Amino acid sequence: MMQDLVVSAVFIGYAVAVLLTFGTVLTWVERKQAAIMSDRIGANRAYVRIPFTQLKLIWLGLFHGLADGIKMMLKEDFRPISYDRFAYALAPWVVFTPVLLVFAVIPFGGMIVPGELLRILPSVSEWFGERSYPMQIARVDAGLLVVFAFGGLSIIGAMLAGWSSANKFSLLGALRAGSQMISYELVMGLTVLGLILIYGTVDLDAIVRQQSGLLLGFLPAWGVLMQPFAAILFLVAAIAENKRIPFDLPEAESELIAGYFTEYSAMKMGLFMFAEFIEIAIIGALFTTLFLGGYNLPFMTDDGFVFPGNHVVTIPHAAIIVLQLVVFLAKVLIMSSFQILIRWTLPRFRWDQLLSFAWKFMFPLALANLTVTAVVVWALQS
Amino acid sequence: MATPRTPTKPYVRKQYWNKPCMSWWERAYLPEILRGLFITGGVFMRNMGRWLTFRKGALTTYYPEETRADYAAGNRGKHVLTQRPDGRPQCIACNLCATVCPAKVIEIEAGFDPDDPAHPKYPVRFEIDYSRCVFCGLCVEACPEDAIRMVKEIPNLPTFDRGSLWLAREELLTWSPQSDVAKPYPPKGVGQLPEGSK
C-alpha cells in the first residue's frame, strides 16, 4: 500500500513539474516562434546576472517568462468594486485547476516496474517486489469522460469571471466564451465518439495500447490514420475550446479589451494566461494520446519494437521507460508548436461565422464521420 | 395639368466593394488554410535553418549592438565641426547656427584667441542636444564659415541618461579629412597683419 502512495506521489510530482514547465516554456516558444515566422529576432533582453560578476545569462531570451512571472506577482492586485467579490476571486482558480486535473488521466508512459528499475538498490527493489504501475496518475476506466467533465468546468470559470467583474466588456466576453465553448465541446465529443466506437473503450491507457497494433498489416494503428477526419475536427474544436486565435473571440482585444478577464490584474490575470498556455500542452497531450499513438513510437510496445513481419526487437526496461517519457514529451511539444503555428497564421473569425462554423460545418461533418465509422465498424464485426 | 411623372426604377444603392469571388477549391476552406500554414511554416523552417547554421535568420537588427549598414546615401544623422589644418575648429562662434536652430539645441560659448588675428573668436564650448535636435540641417545652411556639416553616420546615442545626449566640441571635432577643408589657412591676403603694425 505504501508503495502505491510513493509511486503516485512521484507521478504527481512529475506531472505538475511537466505542466508548469510547459506553461512557462510555451510562452517563450510562442514568442520566439512568432518572431522567427515573421523574420524577427524575438524577445532577447531579459537576463540573469550571476551575483558579484558582470556575467549576464541571456539564453536566447528564455528568462522573459521568469521576468513576466515576477512582474505579475509584484504588480498591484487591482479589484473592481464588484457585487460578488468571492466569485471574482474564485474564477481564475476555477479556470486554472481543471486544466491541471485533466492531465491526471492522461498516460505519459507505459507499465513501469519499480522493482526492476531500481535493481541497483536491493533493499528498495525488494520493497517494491513485483508490483507494476501504469505511468498515469489516476487509472480511471472512464478516462475520456473525465477529460470532458473537467474540460467543461473551465466554461464555468470564464462565465464566473465575466459576470462578477461588473464590466460590460467582461460580460460580453463571458457570453461569447460560454456559447463558443459549449458549441465546440459538442463537436469535440462527437469526433471522439468515432474513436470510442473503434477502440471499444474510454480508458486512455487502453486506447494507447491498441494503437501499438498494425493497420492493414504494415501501418501503425494510430488514430490519425484510422480517423483522419476526426483528428482534424478534434484539433480545430480543441483550439476553439482553448479560445486561441482564430477562435479568440471571447478575449478579442480589438473589440473587448481582454474579454472576460478585462478586470483582472497581477497574478489573477497571470493565472488565466498560464491556464491558456498549459491547455496548449494539454491539448497536445490529448491529441497525442488519442491520435498519435500516445507515448509509443510506431510499432513500439512496452517490451520493445514489433515491426511488420514479426521482427521483434526487445529493449531493456529502463531504456523503454526513458524512451516512452521522451517520446511523449516530444510529441506534445510538436503538437504545441503546431498550435502556435496556427495561432500566428490565421486571422480571427467574425462572431456569426464562428458559431455557424461550429453548428453548420463542423457539427454535420462530425455527425457524418460518426455515422460512417459506425457503419464500417458494424460491417467489420458482422 | 400635372405633368406625368416618368416612372423611375426603384433606387438601388450602388455597391462599391467587390463581391467575394472564390472558386469551390477556395470555398472548401481547408486547402487554403493548409496553404497558409505551409507559407508561414516554410518561412519558419527557412529562418530556423539559417539560425541553426550560424547565419542570421531575421531582417531586424540587434539595435543598438548592431546598426543597419544600409542607411540612405542622403541620410544626415550627425553633426561635425570642420577643422583647420592645425586641428582647431573652423567655427568662429558667430552664433548664427544657434540662432537659426528651430529646436534651440546648439549652445556656443565664445572665447578670445589673441594668437589668431584673422579669427579672434573661437568656440570654447560647442554643444548639441541630440534629445531635441530635429536634424533639419538649417545650422549647416546658416554657417558662413562652412564650419558645421552633417554626415551620414548617426551618433551612438542610446542611453539611460538624458544628460549624455549632449555631444560636446571634442566629439564633434572627430571628422577631419585634410583634403576636404574648404579654405586654405591662413587665407590669402587677410589675417597677415603688416609687419610692425602693433
Side-chain angles (χ1 to χ4, degrees), chain B residues 139-156:
Chain B
C139 47
V140 181
E141 300 283 330
C143 186
E145 294 286 312
D146 191 24
I148 187 166
R149 292 190 191 177
M150 293 185 80
V151 291
K152 193 181 149 192
E153 293 81 39
I154 54 164
N156 183 24

Side-chain angles (χ1 to χ4, degrees), chain A residues 47-187:
Chain A
Y47 58 82
V48 170
R49 188 164 63 86
I50 298 176
F52 308 113
T53 64
Q54 284 302 316
L55 216 55
K56 293 170 178 175
L57 302 179
I58 294 180
W59 286 1
L60 298 170
L62 204 56
F63 296 117
H64 273 272
L66 206 65
D68 284 347
I70 293 172
K71 180 200 80 175
M72 278 171 185
M73 291 198 204
L74 296 183
K75 265 175 91 170
E76 182 196 355
D77 186 12
F78 173 80
R79 276 185 294 269
I81 301 174
S82 159
Y83 48 84
D84 198 345
R85 296 278 180 86
F86 178 67
Y88 175 83
L90 189 68
W93 297 101
V94 179
V95 171
F96 184 68
T97 319
V99 174
L100 285 184
L101 286 180
V102 167
F103 200 74
V105 292
I106 294 178
F108 48 86
M111 273 295 175
I112 186 170
V113 187
E116 193 180 331
L117 203 62
L118 300 168
R119 205 175 284 153
I120 42 169
L121 304 167
S123 55
V124 182
S125 175
E126 200 172 315
W127 186 54
F128 274 111
E130 288 296 307
R131 293 159 198 271
S132 63
Y133 302 89
M135 282 201 268
Q136 187 180 8
I137 296 173
R139 182 83 196 264
V140 189
D141 289 343
L144 207 47
L145 302 183
V146 172
V147 168
F148 279 97
F150 283 136
L153 273 184
S154 57
I155 301 176
I156 298 175
M159 295 291 280
L160 266 185
W163 279 103
S164 62
S165 290
N167 180 326
K168 290 181 180 60
F169 287 118
S170 301
L171 186 58
L172 275 173
L175 288 176
R176 285 180 172 193
S179 48
Q180 170 182 337
M181 288 167 84
I182 290 171
S183 308
Y184 280 92
E185 193 152 278
L186 193 71
V187 176

Side-chain angles (χ1 to χ4, degrees), chain B residues 76-87:
Chain B
R76 292 290 177 264
K78 187 191 177 186
H79 299 83
V80 291
L81 289 178
T82 53
Q83 300 172 15
R84 304 185 196 284
D86 58 358

Side-chain angles (χ1 to χ4, degrees), chain A residues 36-37 39 44-45 345 349, chain B residues 29 40 43 47 59 62 65:
Chain A
I36 293 174
M37 277 167 63
D39 289 334
N44 63 350
R45 290 290 157 182
T345 302
F349 278 98
Chain B
Y29 201 74
T40 49
V43 172
N47 287 339
L59 298 175
Y62 284 103
E65 286 90 341

Side-chain angles (χ1 to χ4, degrees), chain B residues 16-80:
Chain B
Y16 292 99
W17 52 88
N18 297 326
K19 282 263 163 35
C21 46
M22 290 190 283
S23 64
W24 63 268
W25 179 254
E26 286 162 339
R27 290 178 70 84
Y29 201 74
L30 200 59
E32 289 295 300
I33 295 267
L34 281 181
R35 201 164 68 89
L37 286 176
F38 269 108
I39 290 173
T40 49
V43 172
F44 175 79
M45 286 300 181
R46 187 195 68 200
N47 287 339
M48 202 66 201
R50 286 183 187 162
W51 285 119
L52 291 179
T53 49
F54 303 102
R55 286 174 295 165
K56 200 175 159 201
L59 298 175
T60 51
T61 49
Y62 284 103
Y63 191 80
E65 286 90 341
E66 183 186 353
T67 45
R68 293 171 55 145
D70 58 342
Y71 277 122
N75 185 51
R76 292 290 177 264
K78 187 191 177 186
H79 299 83
V80 291

Side-chain angles (χ1 to χ4, degrees), chain B residues 7-197:
Chain B
T8 53
K9 277 186 258 177
Y11 176 69
V12 182
R13 171 181 269 195
K14 195 173 175 189
Q15 297 228 326
Y16 292 99
W17 52 88
N18 297 326
K19 282 263 163 35
C21 46
M22 290 190 283
S23 64
W24 63 268
W25 179 254
E26 286 162 339
R27 290 178 70 84
Y29 201 74
L30 200 59
E32 289 295 300
I33 295 267
L34 281 181
R35 201 164 68 89
L37 286 176
F38 269 108
I39 290 173
T40 49
V43 172
F44 175 79
M45 286 300 181
R46 187 195 68 200
N47 287 339
M48 202 66 201
R50 286 183 187 162
W51 285 119
L52 291 179
T53 49
F54 303 102
R55 286 174 295 165
K56 200 175 159 201
L59 298 175
T60 51
T61 49
Y62 284 103
Y63 191 80
E65 286 90 341
E66 183 186 353
T67 45
R68 293 171 55 145
D70 58 342
Y71 277 122
N75 185 51
R76 292 290 177 264
K78 187 191 177 186
H79 299 83
V80 291
L81 289 178
T82 53
Q83 300 172 15
R84 304 185 196 284
D86 58 358
R88 288 180 299 139
Q90 285 209 38
C91 177
I92 55 167
C94 65
N95 251 332
L96 279 179
C97 52
T99 310
V100 78
C101 179
K104 312 241 183 303
V105 301
I106 304 179
E107 282 193 14
I108 303 171
E109 184 184 329
F112 178 60
D113 181 12
D115 300 333
D116 186 357
H119 309 94
K121 268 178 92 180
Y122 76 99
V124 180
R125 290 196 305 119
F126 191 105
E127 290 166 4
I128 298 180
D129 181 3
Y130 276 87
S131 67
R132 289 185 289 142
C133 177
V134 294
F135 302 96
C136 60
L138 284 182
C139 47
V140 181
E141 300 283 330
C143 186
E145 294 286 312
D146 191 24
I148 187 166
R149 292 190 191 177
M150 293 185 80
V151 291
K152 193 181 149 192
E153 293 81 39
I154 54 164
N156 183 24
L157 283 176
T159 175
F160 291 105
D161 165 24
R162 189 173 292 184
S164 52
L165 286 169
W166 287 83
L167 287 200
R169 206 185 93 155
E170 286 67 36
E171 287 139 272
L172 295 172
L173 273 174
T174 51
W175 188 79
S176 59
Q178 298 294 320
S179 63
D180 193 38
V181 175
K183 295 178 195 165
Y185 188 84
K188 289 188 193 104
V190 292
Q192 300 295 325
L193 297 181
E195 288 290 317
S197 65

